[in-house]
Amino acid sequence: MDRFIIEGNRDLAGTISVSGAKNAILPAMAACLLAPGKSVLRNVPNLIDLKTMAHLLRFLGAHVDFNSGELSIAAATITSNEAPYELVSKMRASIYVLGPLLARQGEALVSFPGGCAIGTRPVDLHLKAMEALGARISVEHGYIHAIAEKLIGADIHFEKSSVGATINALMAAVLASGTTRIINAAREPEVDTTIELLNKMGARISGLGTTSLTIEGVEKLVPAAMDMIPDRIEAGTFLVAGALSTQPVTVENCVPGHLDSLLEKLRAAGCELDIRDTGITVNPPQKIKPVDVLTLPYPGFPTDLQAQFTVLMTLADGVSFIEDTIFPDRFMYVAELNRLQADIRMERNVARVRGVASLSGAEVMASDLRASAALVLAGIVAQGQTTISRIYHIDRGYDHIEEKLNRLGARIKRETA
Ligand code: UD1
């Protein structure tokens, strides 16, 4: 298993570029199943999670090719309606094939995603949406079995904002007969990208960017080509890296409008920001000010940047409180940061972070994707050497993060065991 060996106490400076957004590409790949013919997604990075999705689409009968950042998916015929346990257990986002399979094939058999390192993550909202559209759902031998000869448009009222359930509902409703309304839809940028792609394929979805979406069902979709948006979480991770430095760091190829909640918190922490159309320069403060954070659905502060921002707060001049309302158990990394001599105490789902003068390198273990990114940031600024094991998590969602950060002056070595 690979690990990172990080020489700490490094000061970063320069320019770093952001790749395409994993969480927009995953549902876009699943959406390609809806149109017979070849669709093309551009600005696609080389990530394990995207390979897992490609593997699943091939299993279902699609032809998937990846070449220099371009992914082509040809789904002329679907030969299987089953998303097997081996693939779904590797990646929860495999649940994204549920809506497309049901809409195109009238049947889907998708393994139940298990729990994961950031706590129990149910799929009840996905299933309720399919049921609202007329699907019959049963759970058999660890599999979700959904059947509907023809989906029928309906009102879907989500009691909780869910990115995944909103996208799955959209992908099912586009081929349903009649009108579907999604109330309390998630409005993350990744949902917008899915809507744009589906509309390019001939779907009729209105309400983009709002919590109320209307879908007029159509008979069939056609293939489309589209550029994928930059990854706002990768961009945010690099901005926090800049905030931890003493020199300016510029993050290029991002959409600043997707990062407002983080930018506000970085300013509150004392950073000066220079914002342009597709780039942000962060000028770090002399002293980091403590800032409280509450994660919320978009446009609130993203749970996917919670761990990285906590690292910044470990070096703040005072105490801050970080609360995750979306995934309350997403604090597995806290014990690891404390091994680096951070001073964090958990009080239920709130981390009380008392800033320290410096972190001290140690051996730590990554528990999930964003936690791994947080540990990398901590290792770069800690005194001495930090070794991070189980970094396969980070390769799921960051394209060669060590190479990108090393170009800014970090010293991260990948050791393959
Ligand atoms: C997506 C992102 C993930 C991010 C999360 C929240 C992908 C592949 N993953 O995950 O990185 O952290 O959004 O921004 O895009 N919930 C239910 N029942 C459901 C579905 C969700 O109760 O059926 C709950 C979840 O437990 C959580 C909240 O709803 O508390 C939001 O989760 P959701 O937005 O669905 O997250 P994902 O789409 O799984």
Side-chain angles (χ1 to χ4, degrees):
M1 244 186 266
D2 289 8
R3 54 186 204 152
F4 279 155
I5 299 179
I6 305 179
E7 295 305 330
N9 204 12
R10 302 295 297 173
D11 213 9
L12 305 186
T15 299
I16 191 163
S17 182
V18 176
S19 302
K22 166 182 89 76
N23 287 353
I25 299 165
L26 287 169
M29 290 174 75
C32 292
L33 289 176
L34 286 162
K38 189 165 103 178
S39 292
V40 176
L41 308 177
R42 294 181 292 254
N43 192 27
V44 174
N46 192 5
L47 302 175
I48 302 288
D49 272 6
L50 301 182
K51 286 187 184 153
T52 304
M53 184 58 99
H55 197 153
L56 175 56
L57 298 189
R58 285 192 193 106
F59 184 89
L60 300 175
H63 290 274
V64 184
D65 276 319
F66 180 62
N67 220 325
S68 2
E70 211 170 273
L71 191 62
S72 67
I73 298 167
T77 48
I78 306 276
T79 52
S80 166
N81 298 338
E82 180 185 335
Y85 175 73
E86 305 87 83
L87 293 170
V88 180
S89 60
K90 273 192 194 158
M91 184 185 68
R92 271 183 55 89
S94 310
I95 190 83
Y96 276 140
V97 300
L98 176 65
L101 282 178
L102 195 54
R104 182 159 165 196
Q105 301 290 98
E107 181 175 23
L109 194 62
V110 179
S111 172
F112 225 94
C116 70
I118 60 173
T120 322
R121 292 174 72 176
V123 289
D124 56 317
L125 300 174
H126 298 244
L127 304 188
K128 278 186 193 152
M130 300 306 139
E131 274 175 340
L133 296 173
R136 293 188 303 283
I137 309 268
S138 55
V139 177
E140 301 155 5
H141 311 295
Y143 276 75
I144 300 159
H145 190 195
I147 304 187
E149 291 71 46
K150 179 74 188 158
L151 293 171
I152 317 263
D155 280 2
I156 300 171
H157 194 133
F158 285 123
E159 67 223 43
K160 202 170 186 180
S161 177
S162 162
V163 177
T166 299
I167 290 177
N168 239 335
L170 281 167
M171 294 190 293
V174 286
L175 292 182
S177 61
T179 306
T180 298
R181 274 204 311 265
I182 305 180
I183 299 120
N184 195 24
R187 51 190 176 130
E188 269 68 3
E190 295 75 21
V191 177
D192 293 354
T193 305
T194 311
I195 293 174
E196 281 175 42
L197 175 64
L198 290 170
N199 280 346
K200 267 182 180 243
M201 294 168 112
R204 293 176 57 205
I205 306 169
S206 57
L208 185 123
T210 74
T211 55
S212 177
L213 302 171
T214 304
I215 305 111
E216 302 291 344
V218 295
E219 279 294 311
K220 63 178 180 57
L221 295 185
V222 293
M226 191 169 142
D227 288 344
M228 295 289 103
I229 53 170
D231 194 317
R232 64 194 168 99
I233 305 304
E234 191 194 17
T237 303
F238 296 152
L239 288 170
V240 173
L244 283 161
S245 182
T246 64
Q247 300 178 63
V249 166
T250 297
V251 178
E252 268 186 350
N253 186 33
C254 62
V255 180
H258 289 170
L259 288 155
D260 283 344
S261 56
L262 172 69
L263 300 182
E264 189 191 312
K265 294 295 176 186
L266 288 175
R267 279 196 198 94
C271 298
E272 271 179 33
L273 303 173
D274 175 15
I275 299 171
R276 293 170 307 282
D277 279 357
T278 58
I280 303 170
T281 300
V282 51
N283 296 284
Q286 296 242 316
K287 255 189 189 176
I288 300 164
K289 294 185 204 156
V291 183
D292 297 342
V293 165
L294 188 69
T295 69
L296 287 169
Y298 188 85
F301 193 95
T303 170
D304 284 355
L305 286 172
Q306 180 258 104
Q308 299 88 316
F309 199 84
T310 300
V311 173
L312 182 65
M313 290 300 103
T314 63
L315 295 171
D317 188 22
V319 175
S320 55
F321 293 88
I322 314 279
E323 177 172 353
D324 202 318
T325 67
I326 306 206
F327 294 116
D329 298 328
R330 200 174 208 179
F331 287 100
M332 300 271 287
Y333 67 90
V334 161
E336 304 303 299
L337 282 185
N338 283 344
R339 286 178 54 75
L340 302 179
Q341 316 242 296
D343 182 353
I344 311 175
R345 253 190 271 157
M346 290 307 300
E347 291 163 10
R348 295 183 323 281
N349 65 327
V350 183
R352 180 180 185 279
V353 190
R354 180 182 290 281
V356 293
S358 64
L359 298 175
S360 164
E363 284 185 33
V364 291
M365 202 181 274
S367 56
D368 66 67
L369 170 55
R370 306 305 169 186
S372 324
L375 293 176
V376 168
L377 299 183
I380 292 171
V381 290
Q383 307 292 320
Q385 193 180 75
T386 296
T387 306
I388 310 179
S389 53
R390 299 199 178 172
I391 54 160
Y392 54 86
H393 290 293
I394 211 161
D395 295 328
R396 291 184 47 197
Y398 291 85
D399 191 5
H400 295 99
I401 193 171
E402 76 276 27
E403 289 173 18
K404 286 190 180 184
L405 289 168
N406 283 348
R407 269 182 246 131
L408 287 184
R411 272 208 207 140
I412 308 171
K413 202 171 83 194
R414 182 184 288 261
E415 208 177 66
T416 307

